[in-house]
Amino acid sequence: MQIGVLTGGGDCAGLNAAIRAVVRMAGHELDRSVVGYRRGWNGVLDGDSITLDSEAMRGTLPRGGTMLGTSRSSRRLESEGTAPLIAQLERDGVEALVTIGGDGTLITAGRLSEAGFPVVAVPKTIDNDVFGTDICIGFDTALGVATEAVDRLHTTAESHNRIMVLEVMGRETGHIAAGAGIAGGAAAVLVPEAPFNIDEIAERLVARHHRDRNASIVVVAEGAIADGSVEIPDTGADEWGNRVLDGMGQFVGELLAERTGFDTRTTVLGYIQRGGPPSPADRLLGSRLGARAVEVLMEGQSGAMVGVHSVGIALQPLAEVAGRTRYLSQDQLEMLDLISTAPVLTRHSKSRRWF
């Protein structure tokens, strides 16, 4: 089996870990290199590809972004459908494809699967809004950056008795805002899922400062919406018809300054959330999902997304946990086996090739 891989949509930290895992798994289990497509779906349409092997992946784990480059969707896909994609994949000898991306990439991957081409998707987006998985590649790093920003804003806010407004990304969901606000101890968090009342927020902040709390942090998701207490400015739509998310933090900051009378400053975190080295959690997640995607294809399955699922918080009787140790699982040991240059496991369910 010859496998191809691409990254689509916005960049984020942890993508190179996923690409690396796809390449290493294909090398171990199939003894094959991987066809990597540059610039997402546009790379497939243009036949812009490179050969990926273990040597090509050296030093990529700590790098942010994607070594393959990425792009948004293509007008050509909208007009011509998946036929040109399949034609190019077949010309390249690619028999199955691993796509790493968010909603737009998943939609195109789904169409490709419906057309009969084997595809397995890996979810990534700092917004963490892909349905069917508890967490996406890139979210943990972005959340860490946003939380650190809240931590840093606390000290300057306290020094000047200010309200500090921090705008974070997330588009139509508030995962980053909620996570950073809770972890950083913000006084208020505005998210798209819960329309805000600016007057109520202002009253809460005034009451807070009257209790000798000489600083307040307000985290605002870029896609936050109001409940009718104020009219949100129309920022227009992009070429795909999506609402342009621009200036929500500044807008909220000006309203709060007007209603509270407090000195207010706004920080827009922007693309800093996307860049920089991936967190250990994103490196691990990318490695797990990338390797699993190849395993799924080897098992003869496709037309699916590999995701993470948990049971949430659960009660465990003390009699069952006290004095016991949680060791690495068999899956984790097999992952160590995959990424190491020497075998970790003493027994194997199947033979492996080592670099």
Side-chain angles (χ1 to χ4, degrees), residues 13-342:
L15 291 173
N16 290 322
I19 298 169
R20 177 179 179 271
V22 169
V23 172
R24 293 195 65 122
M25 178 63 86
H28 279 311
E29 301 297 344
L30 301 173
D31 197 23
R32 300 291 296 270
S33 59
V34 170
V35 177
Y37 288 98
R38 297 187 177 101
R39 301 178 293 110
W41 296 111
N42 288 318
V44 181
L45 290 171
D46 298 337
D48 184 7
S49 64
I50 57 175
T51 299
L52 298 177
D53 55 20
S54 60
E55 186 62 33
M57 301 312 301
R58 291 190 187 278
T60 56
L61 266 178
R63 285 171 51 191
T66 165
M67 64 172 294
L68 291 175
T70 186
S71 66
R72 303 291 182 180
S73 187
S74 166
R75 287 295 184 192
R76 187 177 170 190
L77 287 178
E78 297 297 318
S79 60
E80 300 182 37
T82 59
L85 292 176
I86 295 175
Q88 185 61 51
L89 290 166
E90 291 177 346
R91 281 194 291 271
D92 293 337
V94 172
E95 302 166 71
L97 187 66
V98 175
T99 65
I100 310 171
D103 185 56
T105 306
L106 286 167
I107 290 173
T108 303
R111 292 171 180 169
L112 198 62
S113 176
E114 290 173 359
F117 196 88
V119 181
V120 172
V122 174
K124 72 87 206 162
T125 171
I126 68 169
D127 304 338
N128 205 38
D129 61 353
V130 173
F131 186 82
T133 183
D134 292 344
I135 191 167
C136 300
I137 297 170
F139 173 66
D140 185 76
T141 301
L143 178 59
V145 172
T147 302
E148 181 181 359
V150 175
D151 292 342
R152 290 180 179 274
L153 288 174
H154 270 294
T155 54
T156 185
E158 292 163 358
S159 297
H160 294 276
N161 193 29
R162 282 176 175 159
I163 295 174
M164 303 295 286
V165 176
L166 176 67
E167 180 189 301
V168 299
M169 287 181 166
R171 292 207 62 81
E172 305 301 329
T173 61
H175 294 289
I176 295 177
I182 294 170
V189 180
L190 280 57
V191 296
E193 294 89 340
F196 65 86
N197 184 294
I198 195 66
D199 296 312
E200 291 181 357
I201 294 172
E203 290 174 5
R204 286 167 49 195
L205 295 180
V206 169
R208 172 186 169 86
H209 284 239
H210 286 165
R211 297 195 303 270
D212 295 326
R213 301 302 299 269
N214 62 338
S216 293
I217 308 296
V218 179
V219 179
V220 180
E222 61 181 351
I225 58 176
D227 65 353
S229 57
V230 65
E231 184 177 351
I232 301 293
D234 183 5
T235 51
D238 63 16
E239 60 176 319
W240 302 100
N242 300 313
R243 171 189 168 201
V244 174
L245 302 174
D246 181 38
M248 181 56 68
Q250 188 64 39
F251 176 67
V252 169
E254 292 172 357
L255 291 176
L256 291 177
E258 176 186 308
R259 283 163 168 75
T260 64
F262 295 133
D263 191 14
T264 304
R265 296 289 187 274
T266 299
T267 298
V268 179
L269 204 50
Y271 287 93
I272 293 173
Q273 295 157 94
R274 290 193 182 278
S279 66
D282 269 327
R283 300 183 200 192
L284 289 168
L285 181 61
S287 298
R288 289 175 60 198
L289 296 183
R292 181 58 185 149
V294 175
E295 287 183 333
V296 169
L297 289 171
M298 290 171 54
E299 293 166 0
Q301 303 181 67
S302 65
M305 181 188 78
V306 290
V308 178
H309 299 274
S310 66
V311 297
I313 297 175
L315 294 177
Q316 298 290 340
L318 287 175
E320 296 182 9
V321 299
R324 302 180 65 180
T325 302
R326 180 176 177 268
Y327 297 101
L328 289 173
S329 67
Q330 183 69 17
D331 287 345
Q332 290 171 313
L333 288 172
E334 289 178 356
M335 176 58 65
L336 288 177
D337 223 6
L338 167 67
I339 66 176
S340 299
T341 55

